[in-house]
Amino acid sequence: MISGLMITSEDALANRSFHTGEVNLRNMDAIQSTTRKTFDAQLKELEQQLLKMGSFVEGMLDSSVQALIRQDSELADEVIRRDDVADNMDLEIETACMRLLALQQPMSKDLRIISTALKIITDLERIGDYSVDIAKAAKLLSGEPYFKPLIDIPRMAELTKKMLRDALQAFVDRSIEKAIQVCKDDDAVDQLNKGLLEELMDYMRKDPKLIMQSVHFILISRYLERIADHVTNVAERIVYMETGELRQIVESHKGA
């Protein structure tokens, strides 16, 4: 009896249940907050792994073109050896993505981030493969003087590397505008590839002795054009990640 009021055992039990419920809710909120912080940290680590792989394959591309320009077969061999490292990075990031999907069961935007990361590493791995192809061509061409200065191929390589850096920055910044600009930049690479093909075809028609070297240059130009296409894929996936709308931004890719 307190101040004329009697607290029954039923009231006491209900009161304890109410406070227990409050405690359980607070505990649940704390658990959810901790889980979210852990998940955000894992997403950040995934982002860092992806950027590291992007920087690595950009380095492969740069070294492969430098090997071609300098006719450096040793540098070309180094690029070829790096391919295993890029493949291992691909596998590690894929494993991290699958672990997040299995353990965290992300929804909506988080799910799009993880699925985008899975797509991006596939394109990065292919960029590494094409860099190896350029390095192999550089080895084959290292023992003979070039019949023409290398102008368009280094220019294509610089444009493509910039596209890759900009695409990765768009991923970090979650920037639709930057991603769309990367897609637009693909046109310049396509034009250089087309112009070089026409020039080399003309050389081959005029002098059959230039056919073998010209064919290698045509293939290298094509590899760079395909690398730019893969970078465009990365940019288009970033737009999807931010909007939930999956579409091909580059006109030349539609229907391909």
Side-chain angles (χ1 to χ4, degrees):
M1 174 93 57
I2 300 177
S3 301
L5 296 176
M6 179 178 291
I7 299 176
T8 66
S9 60
E10 289 83 359
D11 292 334
L13 180 61
N15 191 48
R16 284 197 301 272
S17 297
F18 175 77
H19 286 294
T20 301
E22 278 191 315
V23 172
N24 286 340
L25 285 173
R26 286 198 298 269
N27 288 342
M28 183 63 70
D29 288 341
I31 291 171
Q32 289 177 342
S33 176
T34 301
T35 301
R36 182 68 218 185
K37 288 179 181 177
T38 301
F39 181 67
D40 288 342
Q42 290 171 330
L43 277 181
K44 192 67 177 177
E45 174 62 24
L46 177 65
E47 179 181 293
Q48 291 304 311
Q49 287 180 285
L50 190 149
L51 294 175
K52 182 179 178 182
M53 182 178 179
S55 178
F56 187 82
V57 297
E58 182 194 340
M60 290 178 65
L61 172 57
D62 181 68
S63 293
S64 67
V65 175
Q66 288 301 313
L68 178 72
I69 294 171
R70 294 169 5 205
Q71 297 188 282
D72 187 338
S73 59
E74 291 185 3
L75 182 56
D77 283 331
E78 175 60 28
V79 173
I80 294 168
R81 286 192 293 269
R82 288 185 213 168
D83 190 44
D84 288 339
V85 179
D87 289 344
N88 287 335
M89 288 180 170
D90 178 23
L91 182 59
E92 288 173 4
I93 297 172
E94 181 180 1
T95 301
C97 288
M98 298 310 293
R99 186 182 302 114
L100 283 173
L101 290 172
L103 298 181
Q104 301 291 354
Q105 298 181 333
M107 301 296 290
S108 188
K109 178 66 177 294
D110 292 331
L111 183 59
R112 293 204 303 272
I113 292 172
I114 296 171
S115 65
T116 295
L118 282 168
K119 288 290 187 179
I120 288 176
I121 60 173
T122 299
D123 286 300
L124 292 179
E125 192 272 337
R126 291 299 295 136
I127 291 171
D129 288 344
Y130 280 119
S131 298
V132 169
D133 289 336
I134 294 172
K136 289 178 178 178
K139 282 192 68 176
L140 291 172
L141 294 169
S142 63
E144 57 183 287
Y146 297 148
F147 70 84
K148 68 180 293 294
L150 295 183
I151 299 173
D152 289 333
I153 286 176
R155 189 179 300 163
M156 288 177 69
E158 288 302 316
L159 288 172
T160 304
K161 287 188 295 180
K162 182 179 183 302
M163 286 176 63
L164 179 55
R165 289 193 298 271
D166 290 347
L168 293 173
Q169 191 62 51
F171 177 76
V172 172
D173 296 341
R174 307 294 193 257
S175 173
I176 297 173
E177 292 77 14
K178 288 180 182 178
I180 291 175
Q181 184 58 52
V182 169
C183 296
K184 292 178 179 179
D185 291 342
D186 183 58
D187 290 340
V189 178
D190 289 341
Q191 288 302 313
L192 283 171
N193 177 56
K194 181 180 178 182
L196 183 58
L197 174 61
E198 291 173 353
E199 179 187 0
L200 291 170
M201 291 293 291
D202 189 52
Y203 274 115
M204 289 190 287
R205 280 191 292 266
K206 292 178 178 177
D207 188 349
K209 294 193 296 293
L210 303 179
I211 289 177
M212 187 60 67
Q213 197 173 109
S214 294
V215 168
H216 283 301
F217 289 149
I218 288 171
L219 288 173
I220 291 167
S221 178
R222 175 60 175 164
Y223 297 150
L224 289 168
E225 189 268 339
R226 289 297 298 134
I227 288 172
D229 286 345
H230 281 288
V231 177
T232 299
N233 291 344
V234 170
E236 289 176 341
R237 293 300 302 196
I238 292 167
V239 173
Y240 162 74
M241 180 179 73
E242 290 302 301
T243 65
E245 180 183 355
L246 187 58
R247 61 193 177 95
Q248 288 185 316
I249 299 169
V250 179
E251 290 294 329
S252 61
H253 291 187
K254 294 179 179 180

